[in-house]
Amino acid sequence: MSRIDKDQVKYVANLARLSFTDEEIETFTTQLDDIIGFAEQLNELNTDGIEPTTHVRDMYNVMREDVVEPSLPREEALKNAPEQEDGQIKVPQIMSAD
């Protein structure tokens, strides 16, 4: 029994704004079904007494103390900016008010 069908693959592709041929849809349907089947095998494992982890090794972040320090003077920070206006870096407009 298939765990996923072509219509579901087409639906998700449409949500992602992707277009595929019928042959690609068939291939992805088979591949996704295989992936789901593999993931379902994990449900068969006995995990009683196993503490959930997010990483296989004990890891921690090594961070320095957050210390306030003086920043660059504005003139120094703007020295290499290709364009500046009113003491700020000027960048091209990427959104319009329309």
Side-chain angles (χ1 to χ4, degrees):
M1 179 179 135
S2 181
R3 291 166 281 263
I4 189 167
D5 61 37
K6 292 179 193 176
D7 290 334
Q8 291 170 313
V9 173
K10 287 179 184 178
Y11 176 74
V12 171
N14 182 55
L15 290 176
R17 305 293 189 254
L18 300 172
S19 61
F20 297 114
T21 65
D22 288 339
E23 183 178 301
E24 290 172 319
I25 293 291
E26 181 69 40
T27 300
F28 290 138
T29 303
T30 303
Q31 289 175 343
L32 289 169
D33 188 62
D34 290 343
I35 291 168
I36 293 169
F38 177 74
E40 286 178 348
Q41 287 180 14
L42 297 176
N43 290 331
E44 298 172 12
L45 293 174
N46 180 4
T47 58
D48 294 341
I50 305 294
E51 192 172 326
T53 61
T54 56
H55 201 282
V56 295
R57 293 182 53 204
D58 289 333
M59 302 200 60
Y60 58 93
N61 288 332
V62 179
M63 312 221 10
R64 65 172 175 77
E65 282 293 316
D66 190 12
V67 178
V68 177
E69 295 180 2
S71 62
L72 287 174
R74 181 175 293 186
E75 296 78 26
E76 183 73 19
L78 293 174
K79 182 170 65 175
N80 292 320
E83 290 188 58
Q84 41 183 298
E85 185 176 296
D86 299 325
Q88 299 179 18
I89 297 173
K90 185 174 180 181
V91 297
Q93 180 175 339
I94 58 169
M95 296 174 60
S96 65
D98 295 344

